[in-house]
Amino acid sequence: MTTLLVILGIVAVLAVLIIGIYNRLVALRQTTNQAWSDIEVQLKQRQDLVPQLVNTVKGYAKHEKETFQEVIEARNRAVSADTVEGQAQAEGMLSAALGKLFALAEAYPELKANTNFLQLQDQLSDVENKIAASRRFYNNAAQEYNTAREQFPAVLIAGPFGFAEREFFEAPEGRETLQTPPVVDFGTS
């Protein structure tokens, strides 16, 4: 009789342990999902600003069609990206294209003074900062989730219950183009 009670006690402890690990993995997965949703919201705001920015610049630089086309194509790729890695690559291309658009604005003093352009530039800068903060939160959540699913004994539960590894959202290349101030040389030679 005591052996049966010991066996039932061990089974009960294992069941509680498995349920606890499963619930922790679910909670971490949900945190990661929520963090990714935050990134998607910020990326959508950024993508919505691009057409307004292009239209403002078009009014001043009508003959720069190649740059406008590059920005629009990069935006469309960013909108249609469906994986974390694909989103990071598409956002990198969009950042690089926007960098060219802002560099183009340097050649048009009237555009640089246009309040609509300046407001859009400020909004875009604000969204870029929010994306960076959201990316840090997501990557931290993904790291915590991935670590938890790889630790023993959770690794025994994660695979059979479909807890897949999460990719990190790397900083898109080209972002530094938007944040690096232009070099000013007054010819002090």
Side-chain angles (χ1 to χ4, degrees):
M1 181 70 158
T2 54
T3 12
L4 181 62
L5 288 176
V6 169
I7 292 173
L8 286 177
I10 291 172
V11 168
V13 167
L14 285 176
V16 167
L17 181 66
I18 290 171
I19 291 170
I21 292 170
Y22 179 85
N23 287 341
R24 181 168 187 265
L25 289 172
V26 168
L28 290 170
R29 182 174 55 190
Q30 289 305 97
T31 300
T32 305
N33 290 343
Q34 185 264 329
W36 180 249
S37 293
D38 290 347
I39 288 176
E40 287 181 323
V41 166
Q42 299 305 324
L43 293 176
K44 176 75 170 116
Q45 285 180 348
R46 179 182 192 221
Q47 293 159 2
D48 289 346
L49 283 172
V50 170
Q52 296 173 37
L53 191 59
V54 168
N55 287 335
T56 301
V57 175
K58 270 184 184 178
Y60 290 90
K62 293 178 175 48
H63 63 282
E64 303 287 350
K65 291 182 182 179
E66 183 179 313
T67 303
F68 300 140
Q69 189 62 32
E70 187 178 335
V71 171
I72 295 301
E73 287 174 6
R75 179 195 178 266
N76 291 341
R77 276 189 234 114
V79 168
S80 64
D82 58 356
T83 65
V84 174
E85 182 180 351
Q87 191 74 51
Q89 289 175 350
E91 290 299 323
M93 287 184 228
L94 181 56
S95 292
L98 286 171
K100 289 180 183 178
L101 188 68
F102 288 131
L104 177 71
E106 294 294 320
Y108 297 91
E110 312 86 36
L111 174 60
K112 285 178 21 181
N114 179 290
T115 56
N116 191 31
F117 177 75
L118 293 174
Q119 286 174 342
L120 289 169
Q121 199 172 17
D122 286 345
Q123 288 175 359
L124 189 61
S125 178
D126 184 49
V127 169
E128 290 287 338
N129 290 333
K130 289 177 182 176
I131 290 170
S134 296
R135 185 180 66 244
R136 283 189 302 272
F137 180 71
Y138 168 78
N139 285 340
N140 182 57
Q143 182 270 331
E144 190 175 337
Y145 167 79
N146 288 338
T147 300
R149 68 173 284 286
E150 292 174 11
Q151 291 176 333
F152 187 82
V155 70
L156 302 174
I157 296 167
F161 285 103
F163 290 95
E165 183 176 3
R166 293 298 173 99
E167 296 177 45
F168 291 106
F169 186 65
E170 301 298 329
E173 294 177 26
R175 179 167 160 50
E176 47 291 333
T177 304
L178 295 176
Q179 292 185 338
T180 305
V183 176
V184 178
D185 182 12
F186 292 109
T188 58
S189 43

